[in-house]
Amino acid sequence: MYVCICNQVNERAIAEAVRSGARSLDCLITALDVATCCGKCADDARRVIDNTLVGDAYAGGCDLATDAAA
Ligand code: FES
């Protein structure tokens, strides 16, 4: 799904950029030109950054039991 219509940037492209190290809106602006036209996509782009980071953290597993025992 497109997040930035003006620059035709979709959610997948943003997630890939985040996984490559673009972890702020400023980084996405540099990498993909997100939010550089009307700017209406800025909040949605931030949400994709957050969701990607949280989703990847959960996908990587959680060591709460190990951490609690330490
Ligand atoms: S929708 Fe992203 S700049 Fe307009």
Side-chain angles (χ1 to χ4, degrees):
M1 181 169 111
Y2 281 108
V3 174
C4 179
I5 302 296
C6 295
N7 296 305
Q8 300 180 353
V9 178
N10 63 24
E11 198 171 333
R12 179 180 294 188
I14 292 174
E16 288 175 5
V18 170
R19 292 183 180 115
S20 295
R23 298 187 174 182
S24 69
L25 183 60
D26 285 342
C27 290
L28 285 183
I29 289 170
T30 299
L32 300 173
D33 287 339
V34 169
T36 57
C37 190
C38 73
K40 291 182 178 179
C41 60
D43 286 343
D44 287 336
R46 285 190 193 95
R47 264 191 287 278
V48 176
I49 293 171
D50 292 346
N51 289 345
T52 301
L53 294 174
V54 169
D56 287 355
Y58 278 109
C62 178
D63 291 334
L64 284 177
T66 303
D67 290 345

